[in-house]
Amino acid sequence: MNCAIKKKRRVGIVGYGHIGKYLVGEILKRDDLELSFVWNRTSEALRNKIDDRYILEDLSSFAEKTPDLIVEVAHPSITVEFGESFLDVADYMVGSPTALANSDVENRLRWKASSGSHGIYIPSGALWGGADIKKMADIGTLKGLKVTMKKHPSCFKLNEPLKSRNEQVNTEPVVLYDGPVRELCPLAPNNVNTMAAAALAAHNLGFDKTQGCIVADPRQDVISCLL
């Protein structure tokens, strides 16, 4: 009889918004996973929410928590600053793949993952059909891809010049952007992670040939902000 106890996989969570809270709760329920750490930009948001032993005050000290997997659900800037360091010690799941629209960041992380012992993962999230997109890209039958997003204007978190355009939307839908996903990602880093995931799945097209369109539509229900 094999009595060996399987080692729990230790998971570190970077970001404690809606998704981060959900992930922490699910990890704590699992028998095969163990919470390594939780980091949030404002650590006070973690107080009295999770056990103090899991709270990581300084993200640069993540290696001391010996994670097997680090999951980022905070902001693309985390990948830019820490992505390569994360891959030195653990597998890394990028929850904000708009960071990879920066070709230098994408290339550095790909090289790090391919030359080391840890992998980098992109969650499909709300990208329905992502596996099929990748299969078509693999065999060269994917000739084009466009993702359109319609949301209530209040749902968007945008940088200029899209921010000003969005603020001027009144009663009718307005196309805020229609073009390559690479250029869109830094303008709407919090809103177009699904488009970034699509561009990565469509690897024969990439960020430059995958097209993204965002529409501010005041007729949309504000509940669309959660989607």
Side-chain angles (χ1 to χ4, degrees):
M1 181 177 179
N2 186 358
C3 297
I5 299 176
K6 187 176 180 181
K7 180 179 178 291
K8 290 185 177 182
R9 190 161 170 79
R10 291 174 55 78
V11 184
I13 302 297
V14 179
Y16 197 65
H18 293 300
I19 298 176
K21 291 175 183 176
Y22 171 79
L23 292 176
V24 168
E26 290 301 307
I27 291 168
L28 292 173
K29 294 177 186 176
R30 296 276 294 267
D31 294 328
D32 57 338
L33 298 177
E34 181 179 1
L35 191 60
S36 170
F37 68 82
V38 182
W39 176 88
N40 194 62
R41 183 172 56 85
T42 53
S43 60
E44 286 304 312
L46 304 175
R47 303 298 178 193
N48 302 317
K49 302 287 180 59
I50 60 174
D51 195 303
D52 285 353
R53 61 183 166 146
Y54 297 127
I55 298 175
L56 182 64
E57 298 282 356
D58 182 0
L59 188 53
S60 63
S61 301
F62 69 91
E64 298 174 6
K65 297 292 187 177
T66 62
D68 298 305
L69 169 68
I70 297 173
V71 181
E72 174 275 313
V73 284
H75 191 273
S77 62
I78 298 296
T79 293
V80 175
E81 185 174 355
F82 292 98
E84 290 176 276
S85 299
F86 288 163
L87 286 168
D88 280 331
V89 300
D91 292 334
Y92 181 39
M93 180 172 286
V94 185
S96 304
T98 51
L100 303 181
N102 181 318
S103 58
D104 180 58
V105 173
E106 180 185 6
N107 291 336
R108 286 191 283 112
L109 290 184
R110 284 185 181 275
W111 181 87
K112 191 77 172 181
S114 63
S115 62
S117 58
H118 299 291
I120 185 167
Y121 300 90
I122 308 296
S124 58
L127 180 61
W128 298 343
D132 292 325
I133 291 172
K134 184 179 183 302
K135 287 178 183 177
M136 294 175 68
D138 288 344
I139 61 177
T141 59
L142 184 66
K143 304 302 181 183
L145 177 63
K146 182 173 183 176
V147 182
T148 299
M149 174 188 293
K150 288 185 179 182
K151 287 183 178 289
H152 189 276
S154 64
C155 298
F156 287 114
K157 295 180 180 179
L158 305 170
N159 294 324
E160 295 294 357
L162 300 191
K163 181 180 179 181
S164 295
R165 293 179 195 168
N166 187 52
E167 290 172 348
Q168 294 171 8
V169 175
N170 191 3
T171 59
E172 296 299 318
V174 175
V175 175
L176 300 178
Y177 179 91
D178 191 353
V181 169
R182 187 180 302 281
E183 296 175 19
L184 175 58
C185 285
L187 298 175
N190 297 98
N191 292 113
V192 298
N193 284 304
T194 298
M195 295 185 189
L200 291 164
H203 56 81
N204 64 326
L205 301 176
F207 282 91
D208 292 311
K209 294 182 180 179
T210 299
Q211 302 294 297
C213 176
I214 58 173
V215 181
D217 186 351
R219 301 172 304 181
Q220 295 284 319
D221 196 293
V222 178
I223 197 172
S224 66
C225 295
L226 303 176
L227 302 177

